[in-house]
């Protein structure tokens, strides 16, 4: 409407506005969105690799945590908490973990003024502290399956080039650990958690993902199989969105997790572990946000609707009263709404601020809307504007929130579908990733050296191979040869650059 379009945006817009281009300056643009949308700050000098998560950023994590935690509890998982510090001897109990994580570990050597008898690791992951206690809690087949999860932070000291949420030395995550009587039960558990991670992205964050497993040389140290969901970012790089590991009996053997079966025979349990970190928030920000700022799906947005009343002095009471009624109705319906009735900011400034902060839907209410018993609705992703009846506004709002989610998912899906290409030779892999980015599907012999050849040339790696049942190249009933070495291909590999 003309009265909305002509609202003066004010001089403060320059401070609010995003100055970098998502398409051409992706890294700088991302950092600017994180800062100006009030999600995070960098930690003080001397703490390179750490960030301060601001309330708006932490609210996103709380929303995701609530969504996923409910799924865990619906499928038999109980939350627990284990110490931040892990004795060095516990890490050494599983040699593969030490080999896989020692470069990333921060060590505590003193308590106060006294040197500790044994170094303590700041947890890089918690298999080595959780698994010994699972071994105490499991005695009989009646104790199985056992499922625990903890929400916590971990520290990986090797992170140097910090990108908030994508790569920091300390990050928030959840890690689940389970024990089962046999492989089938543990594998079902592994896939259940992978399904739930897929749901986080597709049903909550509006990001389509690919799912499969990591090549053997890139699986979690000590694991039998590492499964993954992978999300493609607009810059053509892949994000490992969450991993679920079938650990076989290796951890049970290392930490003596045994149980008596129904025949009183002693057996080693089969275990799993699975984790998702706030890297998911990085994927969320990178995928949907634009050159106006943060863009959030209504599912995760702390505020779903911002109501901006527009008045002159002689219409203020009437407009505010009408807007307050709309806000109350939305709140009663469980919709997260903010009535922006600040006197110190004009409507144009408010529009820009709410766009920067990623609020999915904006309501504009002025004298015309009051007179016609209507509301003007604006969608954040594309600026689509419509006028709707005031009556039934809560149900209408839900429909608009669903529309916004569908728009975001469709745009991300279109990006993914257009960025999966095939290659049959080393040069095609290198040329396609170099020119386009995205995923390149290629026949692969299973040898790590063939991946190294691509990685050395263009810093791309195999981020995923499809599950055997989904891979036409699994087995020998085909004539394909490896795109790199020309030996017989045994799998399909997805090559990509990654975060």
């Amino acid at each position: 409407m003309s009265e909305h379009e002509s609202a003066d945006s004010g001089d403060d817009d320059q401070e609010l506005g995003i100055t970098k281009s998502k398409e051409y300056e992706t890294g700088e643009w991302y950092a600017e969105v994180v800062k100006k949308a009030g999600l995070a700050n960098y930690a003080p000098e001397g703490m390179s690799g750490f960030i301060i998560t601001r309330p708006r950023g932490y609210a996103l994590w709380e929303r995701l945590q609530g969504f996923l935690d409910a799924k865990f509890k619906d499928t038999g998982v109980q939350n627990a908490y284990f110490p931040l510090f892990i004795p060095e001897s516990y890490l050494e109990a599983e040699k593969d973990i030490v080999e896989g994580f020692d470069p990333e570990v921060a060590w505590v050597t003193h308590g106060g003024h006294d040197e500790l008898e044994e170094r303590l690791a700041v947890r890089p992951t918690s298999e080595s502290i959780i698994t010994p206690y699972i071994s105490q809690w499991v005695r009989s087949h009646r104790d199985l399956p056992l499922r625990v999860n903890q929400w916590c932070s971990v520290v990986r000291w090797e992170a140097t080039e910090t990108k908030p949420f994508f790569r920091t030395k300390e990050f928030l995550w959840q890690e689940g650990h389970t024990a089962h009587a046999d492989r089938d039960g543990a594998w079902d558990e592994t896939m259940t958690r992978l399904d739930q991670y897929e749901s986080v992205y597709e049903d909550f964050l509006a990001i389509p993902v690919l799912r499969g497993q990591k090549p053997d040389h890139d699986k979690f140290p000590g694991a039998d199989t590492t499964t993954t969901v992978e999300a493609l970012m607009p810059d053509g790089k892949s994000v490992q969105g969450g991993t679920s590991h079938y650990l076989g009996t290796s951890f049970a053997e290392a930490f003596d997790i045994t149980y008596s079966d129904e025949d009183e025979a002693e057996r080693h349990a089969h275990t799993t572990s699975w984790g998702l970190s706030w890297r998911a928030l990085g994927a969320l920000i990178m995928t949907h946000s634009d050159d106006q700022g943060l863009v959030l799906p209504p599912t995760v947005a702390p505020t779903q609707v911002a109501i901006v009343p527009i008045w002159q002095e002689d219409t203020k009471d009437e407009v505010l009263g009408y807007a307050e009624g709309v806000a109350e109705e939305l709140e009663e319906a469980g919709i997260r709404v903010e009535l922006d009735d600040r006197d110190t900011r004009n409507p144009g400034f408010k529009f820009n601020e709410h766009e920067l902060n990623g609020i999915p839907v904006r309501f504009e209410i002025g004298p015309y809307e009051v007179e016609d018993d209507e509301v003007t609705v604006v969608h954040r992703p594309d600026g689509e504007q419509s006028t709707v009846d005031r009556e039934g506004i809560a149900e209408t709002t839900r429909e608009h929130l669903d529309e916004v989610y569908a728009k975001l998912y469709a745009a991300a899906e279109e990006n993914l579908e257009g960025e999966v290409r095939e290659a049959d030779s080393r040069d095609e892999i290198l040329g396609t990733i170099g020119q386009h980015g995205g995923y390149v599907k290629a026949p692969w012999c299973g040898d790590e050296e063939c991946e190294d050849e691509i990685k050395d040339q263009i810093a791309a790696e195999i981020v995923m191979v499809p599950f055997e049942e989904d891979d036409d190249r699994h087995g020998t009933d085909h004539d394909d040869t490896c795109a790199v070495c020309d030996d017989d291909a045994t799998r399909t590999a997805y090559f990509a650059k990654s975060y």
Side-chain angles (χ1 to χ4, degrees), residues 156-208:
R156 308 277 176 87
W157 203 259
E158 94 289 354
T160 53
E161 296 182 10
T162 304
K163 184 182 288 289
F165 304 113
F166 276 117
R167 186 174 180 82
T168 50
K169 284 182 178 175
E170 180 186 22
F171 56 89
L172 298 178
W173 78 343
Q174 60 74 211
E175 53 180 310
H177 300 268
T178 70
H180 304 263
D182 54 31
R183 183 193 188 283
D184 288 347
W187 182 251
D188 287 346
E189 179 78 17
T190 303
M191 297 308 292
T192 293
R193 303 310 157 199
L194 191 70
D195 290 344
Q196 291 175 342
Y197 293 159
E198 181 179 27
S199 179
V200 167
Y201 282 89
E202 300 203 339
D203 302 328
F204 188 68
L205 301 178
I207 302 174

Side-chain angles (χ1 to χ4, degrees), residues 7-19 32 36 292 345-356:
D8 180 24
S9 61
D11 295 334
D12 292 314
D13 283 359
Q14 292 302 314
E15 295 180 14
L16 283 178
I18 301 298
T19 63
E32 191 175 17
K36 289 191 173 180
Q292 282 68 54
R345 297 296 188 186
N346 60 44
F349 181 93
K350 295 176 183 179
F351 295 167
N352 291 336
E353 185 177 59
H354 295 310
E355 287 180 1
L356 174 65

Side-chain angles (χ1 to χ4, degrees), residues 50 80-88 90-91 97 101-108 119-130 149-158 168-175 177 220:
F50 293 84
Y81 188 78
F82 291 80
L84 170 66
F85 301 124
I86 301 174
E88 186 172 11
Y90 276 59
L91 285 182
I97 290 183
F101 282 100
D102 188 58
E104 306 177 4
V105 170
W107 293 102
V108 176
R119 291 196 302 174
L120 300 176
V122 181
R123 61 175 168 234
T125 184
S126 295
E127 274 80 7
S128 58
I129 190 71
I130 292 178
N149 174 69
Q150 72 168 348
W151 296 90
C152 63
S153 68
V154 293
V155 172
R156 308 277 176 87
W157 203 259
E158 94 289 354
T168 50
K169 284 182 178 175
E170 180 186 22
F171 56 89
L172 298 178
W173 78 343
Q174 60 74 211
E175 53 180 310
H177 300 268
F220 180 75

Side-chain angles (χ1 to χ4, degrees), residues 138-312:
V138 172
R139 288 289 179 265
S140 162
H141 65 91
R142 298 181 185 86
D143 298 322
L144 300 173
L146 187 149
R147 301 180 176 95
V148 295
N149 174 69
Q150 72 168 348
W151 296 90
C152 63
S153 68
V154 293
V155 172
R156 308 277 176 87
W157 203 259
E158 94 289 354
T160 53
E161 296 182 10
T162 304
K163 184 182 288 289
F165 304 113
F166 276 117
R167 186 174 180 82
T168 50
K169 284 182 178 175
E170 180 186 22
F171 56 89
L172 298 178
W173 78 343
Q174 60 74 211
E175 53 180 310
H177 300 268
T178 70
H180 304 263
D182 54 31
R183 183 193 188 283
D184 288 347
W187 182 251
D188 287 346
E189 179 78 17
T190 303
M191 297 308 292
T192 293
R193 303 310 157 199
L194 191 70
D195 290 344
Q196 291 175 342
Y197 293 159
E198 181 179 27
S199 179
V200 167
Y201 282 89
E202 300 203 339
D203 302 328
F204 188 68
L205 301 178
I207 302 174
V209 294
L210 301 176
R211 49 184 280 155
Q213 63 190 72
K214 291 294 184 180
D216 284 346
H217 61 264
D218 194 29
K219 63 189 180 184
F220 180 75
D224 177 278
T225 305
T226 289
T227 69
T228 182
V229 291
E230 299 284 328
L232 184 67
M233 297 297 97
D235 62 355
K237 293 182 180 180
S238 184
V239 169
Q240 179 179 287
T243 50
S244 183
H245 315 284
Y246 167 56
L247 302 176
T249 58
S250 62
F251 281 81
E253 291 166 3
F255 292 100
D256 195 30
I257 305 177
T258 60
Y259 69 95
S260 299
D261 67 14
E262 294 180 359
D263 298 323
E264 298 300 319
E266 187 173 271
R267 301 186 182 278
H268 282 107
H270 292 247
T271 64
T272 77
S273 68
W274 23 275
L276 181 144
S277 79
W278 70 9
R279 183 182 293 170
L281 300 185
L284 167 75
I285 298 161
M286 179 73 78
T287 297
H288 299 307
S289 302
D290 58 25
D291 288 351
Q292 282 68 54
L294 185 65
V295 177
L296 296 173
T299 41
V300 70
T303 300
Q304 296 171 308
V305 179
I307 301 177
V308 180
I310 303 165
W311 69 81
Q312 302 297 329

Side-chain angles (χ1 to χ4, degrees), residues 323-344:
E324 288 168 357
V326 172
E328 289 172 5
E329 187 169 334
L330 296 188
E331 285 179 353
E332 290 173 0
I335 295 167
R336 299 186 294 279
V337 59
E338 175 189 341
L339 173 60
D340 190 349
D341 57 359
R342 291 175 291 174
D343 285 328
T344 56

